Amino acid sequence: MVMINIVKISRALGDPVRYKIMLLLANSESDCCPQPSTNGGPLGLCNCEIMAHTGMIQSRVSYHMKELTEAGLVTEEQRGKWKYYYINTATLKDYAGQIKTDLCR
Amino acid sequence: MVMINIVKISRALGDPVRYKIMLLLANSESDCCPQPSTNGGPLGLCNCEIMAHTGMIQSRVSYHMKELTEAGLVTEEQRGKWKYYYINTATLKDYAGQIKTDLCR
DNA sequence: TGACAGCATCAAAATATTTTGATATGTTAT
DNA sequence: ATAACATATCAAAATATTTTGATGCTGTCA
């Protein structure tokens, strides 16, 4: 059982910009740069694609991706000079499960 | 299907003070004032009990209970001059479910 | 009704987070 | 090695949230 921090994950998801990025990651396939590895889950996007989809500047995207990564919601993968981000579904499933066991009784 | 706002709920849970209150509500039974209604779920606590458990001043507790209530995480019940709060487990279950269906694929 | 208990609300202060532009770091291709 | 590109980091500014103390409102009980 992985250790997850409910408050940290909630806080990460509780920002509209970051939640939008999570939805993007869950629903988009990469279409630029080298293709990410086939990991069975979402294919992920690179920083530049997130910039394009959201219209945000680079440092802003970087900042939010770091928040998501540190919460364990997103996994990074360096591929050449690009960095891919994809959703860590294990964390989300643990999170959803723990919310229910800890708070619903 | 109730309309829930994932960002708002996440934000509400993403504050350490509020998450602590949620755990309190999930694990405590009221032991003061008139007993709350038997609603099948957690019995809830009144503002004064939350103050006692957390050591926080009244206006601070009030502020956070409002945030939790507005997110739909907590339901209020006025009983005499006391106000009881109890966890809204339906919202939490919908939340956990939607997190999984929207972000895990 | 008056006194008081419990909670809500408000404005100001304190604190935290987010955004931006500049600059640094790391990778690839020439 | 150098240039060019992708991303990270930093410090300052902008913005948002939380905390506090004061005050207001409502219900209870003498």
Side-chain angles (χ1 to χ4, degrees):
Chain A
M1 175 66 98
V2 190
M3 196 52 186
I4 64 174
N5 184 330
I6 297 284
V7 171
K8 196 164 192 177
I9 294 172
S10 303
R11 183 187 161 285
L13 291 173
D15 178 274
V17 166
R18 288 191 290 266
Y19 188 67
K20 185 177 176 183
I21 292 174
M22 289 294 283
L23 288 175
L24 258 180
L25 288 178
N27 294 302
S28 309
E29 296 196 0
S30 182
D31 190 31
C32 90
C33 329
Q35 287 305 300
S37 66
T38 57
N39 51 40
L43 288 180
L45 295 174
C46 62
N47 212 319
C48 63
E49 287 174 305
I50 296 171
M51 288 169 63
H53 278 302
T54 61
M56 301 195 301
I57 65 176
Q58 184 269 319
S59 60
R60 191 178 175 190
V61 171
S62 246
Y63 167 72
H64 285 296
M65 295 322 289
K66 188 176 182 190
E67 294 284 316
L68 290 172
T69 301
E70 286 180 350
L73 287 167
V74 153
T75 301
E76 309 177 323
E77 183 182 336
Q78 187 87 35
R79 293 179 70 78
K81 63 181 166 184
W82 292 276
K83 190 153 196 180
Y84 272 80
Y85 301 96
Y86 52 90
I87 285 191
N88 192 335
T89 54
T91 300
L92 281 167
K93 283 173 191 167
D94 285 353
Y95 174 70
Q98 202 171 318
I99 287 284
K100 280 198 284 190
T101 60
D102 288 359
L103 299 178
C104 300
R105 35 186 73 221
Chain B
M1 174 67 96
V2 189
M3 196 52 185
I4 63 174
N5 183 330
I6 297 283
V7 172
K8 195 163 194 179
I9 294 173
S10 303
R11 183 187 161 286
L13 292 174
D15 177 274
V17 167
R18 288 191 290 266
Y19 188 67
K20 184 177 176 184
I21 292 173
M22 289 294 282
L23 289 175
L24 258 181
L25 288 177
N27 295 302
S28 309
E29 296 196 0
S30 181
D31 190 30
C32 89
C33 331
Q35 287 305 301
S37 65
T38 56
N39 52 38
L43 288 179
L45 295 174
C46 62
N47 212 320
C48 63
E49 287 175 304
I50 297 171
M51 290 169 64
H53 279 302
T54 60
M56 301 193 303
I57 65 175
Q58 185 269 319
S59 61
R60 190 179 177 190
V61 171
S62 245
Y63 167 72
H64 286 296
M65 295 322 290
K66 189 177 182 188
E67 293 285 315
L68 290 171
T69 301
E70 286 179 350
L73 287 168
V74 154
T75 301
E76 309 176 324
E77 184 182 335
Q78 187 87 36
R79 294 179 70 78
K81 63 180 163 181
W82 293 276
K83 190 155 198 178
Y84 272 80
Y85 301 97
Y86 51 91
I87 285 191
N88 192 334
T89 56
T91 300
L92 281 168
K93 283 172 190 164
D94 285 353
Y95 173 71
Q98 202 171 319
I99 287 283
K100 281 198 285 190
T101 61
D102 288 359
L103 299 178
C104 299
R105 35 186 73 221

